[in-house]
Amino acid sequence: MHTKGVRPPPGHPRRYIVIGVLGMLAMLAALSSLLLGPVALSPERILEALVGHGDAIASTIVLELRLPRTLLGLIVGAMLGLSGAVLQGFLRNPLAEPAVLGTSNAASLGAVTALYFGLAEWHPAILPALAVVSALGSLGLLFLLAGNSESPLTLILAGIAVATLAGAGISLSLNLSPNPFAAMEIMNWLLGSLENRSFVHVWIALPCVVVGMVLLLWDARALDALTLGEDGARALGVSLGITRLRLLLGTAIGVGGAVAVSGAIGFVGLIVPHIIRPLTDRSPSAILVPSAIAGAALLTSADIAVRLIGTTAELKLGVVTAFLGIPVFLVHLLRERRLW
Amino acid sequence: MVTLSLDKVNVKLGQRPVVRDVSARLEAGTLVGVIGPNGAGKSSLIRAILALVRSEGHIALDDRDTARIGRAALARAMAYLPQGQTLHWPVSVERLVGLGRLPHLGPMSRISEADTKAIERAMTRADVIALRTRAATELSGGERARVLLARALAVEAPVLIADEPLASLDPGHQIDVMNLLVAEARAGALVIAVLHDLTMAARYCDRLILLDRGALIADGRPGEVLTQDHLRDVYGVEAIIKTETGRPAVTTLWRSPPRV
């Protein structure tokens, strides 16, 4: 809601500077992601491949391996960052993230089901499709459990129930898996990764994420109004029922689509809004777009780290974000406590 | 000029009736105090007026049923200062007061020059200009109450409804807030305030509505409503009521003996 005429309070940079710097960081991360990999390619060869004039090897590596992987890092990261920011505002809880409502677990369960029954081998689209369907199904269950209650606590409790149920389903599939290789495949997927993803995955995730983002960004002011509590927001003309439906649908579709191609990647949705908040005026609407861009930059950077850290088996992305997340989260937690 | 009419308004929370058959006609330009003991249904009545809780009977703004007025239009017609001071994020004072302009904005539109001016006016009137860049969660109770009042004033609605605006304020700030509410009424607004301090209610309000167990017991000028009989029947207290200044001043003494 910042505009000309109203000067921003001191203590945080102007909004367009924050968005500009974060945007540059995300672009830098994306470029590095195209440049870095086990095969060394010169920037010229990469550029030629990108515009369609490259040699066969460079074209294959850049267009079929690195470009989809980079795009997915940006898309998935942006969705996780945005949904974390939206849910923290909506539930008025600094610990909220998509996992709190069971969305991530439910999407994982859908994917695990595809792996368990061998459906994933039929077509690369089956696994992500099942993940999205499962995320939407969990939303139905969430509404059934939470009823008409507008209290964020009811929604969080219902979300924990959904997440636990989906988690139990995942454990069951590991428990009953016919052989260690099947269990290994499921575990590997659960750790989260952008390895060996193709444009099929981009085309599955992109529409889901676009729809999810539009729904989440539709009425950011409703989140600001909720600063005054439910009654305060409704007295300001916010229809809480519609807002809740829009935000939860956006989360289920967007995060469902993101988790469907990347596997469960935790912590991005939780920590990004905390990093962004001190750079803004701290109102829930002001952190949305910066959180999306920062999420894209963070996940793409983490994916570069995965490739650079030399281990015998490639590190999984979800593992890196978790290790990355804890210290960042602790630092910001300590800083926030002094402020709150 | 706006008129709010209530016709046999009933509110139930679960199975329990909390407002019973309340009828009244409230005119613009008046400061109406809603008084009554804890649990008398004061908050429920004003939440019903604001369509925040489902009610039976008719509530009409200028003869238009509030149930038929959309949520956004209702938000432009009636500003609400809720009870308590819970703020969920440490937003700046200016930003918080700016929330009062939300009902005037379209889904994607930006804040306009007129909105900015309304925010400035509200902050000036509630005397919070000096606090504009502070985080609203870091203010003292009195400062925060004034900021939240500025937020309600920024709506610039013809009706202003305040639920216990004096709670947790020192005497000086109580007088400031009451003077502001009076000024709003004199400027042509209909102001409805839930109040617990009977002397403050009597001194500033043009009209008092006394509720007990959901029912309207008395409705009229402060001198008519604040009588020893009413205080005994409704609050269960004995009181001295002085009327030397023209307005009743209530000093409560002790609990009334239980009636046989």
Side-chain angles (χ1 to χ4, degrees):
Chain A
M1 217 163 24
H2 268 323
T3 44
K4 45 194 166 153
V6 184
R7 68 200 153 74
H12 66 82
R14 282 174 180 276
R15 185 174 163 78
Y16 63 85
I17 294 178
V18 172
I19 290 180
V21 170
L22 288 172
M24 282 197 291
L25 282 175
M27 269 165 61
L28 206 66
L31 284 178
S32 315
S33 173
L34 287 175
L35 274 170
L36 299 168
V39 180
L41 292 175
S42 65
E44 293 85 45
R45 279 178 80 188
I46 291 173
L47 194 68
E48 279 170 4
L50 280 177
V51 294
H53 298 299
D55 53 289
I57 296 170
S59 293
T60 308
I61 290 177
V62 171
L63 294 181
E64 285 174 30
L65 293 172
R66 292 190 191 169
L67 188 59
R69 186 171 185 159
T70 303
L71 288 176
L72 282 175
L74 293 171
I75 296 170
V76 171
M79 188 63 222
L80 293 176
L82 176 65
S83 63
V86 166
L87 289 176
Q88 288 182 9
F90 179 59
L91 299 171
R92 279 149 285 154
N93 190 324
L95 291 177
E97 57 151 342
V100 168
L101 294 181
T103 315
S104 311
N105 264 9
S108 298
L109 178 63
V112 167
T113 310
L115 290 171
Y116 181 82
F117 291 106
L119 307 174
E121 285 156 28
W122 298 355
H123 190 275
I126 297 235
L127 181 148
L130 258 178
V132 176
V133 169
S134 177
L136 283 172
S138 81
L139 185 66
L141 186 60
L142 189 69
F143 272 112
L144 207 66
L145 289 174
N148 280 328
S149 167
E150 277 151 8
S151 120
L153 191 62
T154 317
L155 213 51
I156 291 173
L157 288 174
I160 288 173
V162 173
T164 310
L165 182 66
I170 294 169
S171 303
L172 184 70
S173 72
L174 283 170
N175 192 173
L176 298 181
S177 65
N179 56 62
F181 299 108
M184 205 51 205
E185 196 187 1
I186 293 173
M187 271 315 291
N188 259 334
W189 191 87
L190 284 175
L191 292 175
S193 172
L194 294 174
E195 209 183 339
N196 298 330
R197 300 302 195 266
S198 68
F199 266 100
V200 174
H201 295 98
V202 175
W203 296 132
I204 287 166
L206 191 62
C208 292
V209 167
V210 167
V211 170
M213 283 190 162
V214 168
L215 286 170
L216 293 184
L217 289 170
W218 191 260
D219 190 7
R221 291 202 185 100
L223 297 178
D224 286 344
L226 274 168
T227 303
L228 298 167
E230 279 99 15
D231 268 6
R234 286 167 70 200
L236 282 171
V238 175
S239 302
L240 286 183
I242 296 169
T243 301
R244 185 175 79 154
L245 181 66
R246 199 181 48 233
L247 296 185
L248 296 189
L249 209 57
T251 305
I253 294 172
V255 174
V259 170
V261 295
S262 67
I265 294 171
F267 277 101
V268 175
L270 180 63
I271 60 174
V272 164
H274 286 275
I275 299 172
I276 294 302
R277 210 166 273 126
L279 305 175
T280 67
D281 65 6
R282 293 171 177 274
S283 60
S285 68
I287 65 167
L288 300 188
V289 173
S291 289
I293 303 171
L298 184 73
L299 197 67
T300 311
S301 309
D303 189 45
I304 294 169
V306 158
R307 280 177 263 170
L308 292 184
I309 299 169
T311 43
T312 40
E314 190 178 287
L315 268 178
K316 292 294 178 187
L317 192 53
V319 179
V320 173
T321 56
F323 274 117
L324 213 73
I326 300 290
V328 176
F329 190 55
L330 279 180
V331 166
H332 282 272
L333 184 74
L334 292 174
R335 210 180 282 167
E336 289 292 309
R337 275 179 55 186
R338 235 171 296 148
L339 279 166
W340 278 357
Chain B
M1 290 290 139
V2 70
T3 307
L4 181 71
S5 37
L6 314 177
D7 184 23
K8 291 197 165 48
V9 174
N10 281 277
V11 179
K12 278 183 183 159
L13 287 185
Q15 290 301 308
R16 200 165 48 91
V18 289
V19 174
R20 306 166 207 241
D21 283 333
V22 172
S23 300
R25 197 175 159 80
L26 309 176
E27 307 282 347
T30 46
L31 170 53
V32 181
V34 180
I35 56 173
N38 297 105
K42 306 182 294 292
S43 292
S44 295
L45 179 65
I46 61 170
R47 292 184 76 227
I49 294 173
L50 289 153
L52 295 175
V53 63
R54 194 171 297 168
S55 62
E56 287 158 39
H58 286 289
I59 301 171
L61 253 181
D62 286 334
D63 302 321
R64 267 189 81 197
D65 203 323
T66 52
R68 302 233 180 104
I69 304 176
R71 170 81 44 220
L74 210 55
R76 285 189 290 272
M78 296 197 277
Y80 175 44
L81 179 64
Q83 202 174 344
Q85 308 187 337
T86 318
L87 287 175
H88 293 278
W89 296 108
V91 294
S92 73
V93 165
E94 187 168 3
R95 186 85 200 209
L96 186 70
V97 175
L99 289 180
R101 298 309 293 173
L102 286 189
H104 300 273
L105 300 173
M108 290 291 166
S109 65
R110 300 216 118 201
I111 201 162
S112 72
E113 198 69 24
D115 294 318
T116 312
K117 281 184 180 148
I119 295 168
E120 291 296 316
R121 272 197 298 273
M123 287 201 295
T124 309
R125 293 176 59 197
D127 192 21
V128 295
I129 288 277
L131 306 173
R132 69 190 311 155
T133 58
R134 300 264 303 275
T137 43
E138 290 166 12
L139 303 173
S140 73
E143 289 169 333
R144 200 186 302 181
R146 270 166 32 228
V147 167
L148 288 172
L149 182 62
R151 203 280 302 154
L153 292 176
V155 182
E156 302 201 328
V159 181
L160 170 64
I161 301 180
D163 198 349
E164 296 198 25
L166 304 185
S168 81
L169 290 186
D170 61 49
H173 283 117
Q174 289 193 4
I175 291 173
D176 291 345
V177 168
M178 289 313 291
N179 279 330
L180 254 171
L181 297 183
V182 170
E184 271 295 290
R186 295 297 164 264
L190 165 60
V191 184
I192 304 170
V194 171
L195 297 168
H196 268 302
D197 188 321
L198 299 179
T199 301
M200 293 298 271
R203 191 179 309 149
Y204 290 96
C205 293
D206 304 305
R207 176 175 170 188
L208 291 181
I209 289 176
L210 175 61
L211 296 179
D212 185 29
R213 279 164 287 180
L216 193 151
I217 304 295
D219 176 3
R221 290 202 312 278
E224 299 162 0
V225 174
L226 290 174
T227 63
Q228 282 175 325
D229 285 346
H230 279 148
L231 293 181
R232 190 179 302 122
D233 291 346
V234 172
Y235 288 91
V237 295
E238 298 298 322
I240 301 171
I241 299 172
K242 292 182 185 158
T243 50
E244 283 123 40
T245 54
R247 299 261 189 173
V250 181
T251 309
T252 50
L253 298 173
W254 49 71
R255 272 273 175 202
S256 309
R259 275 166 290 173
V260 189

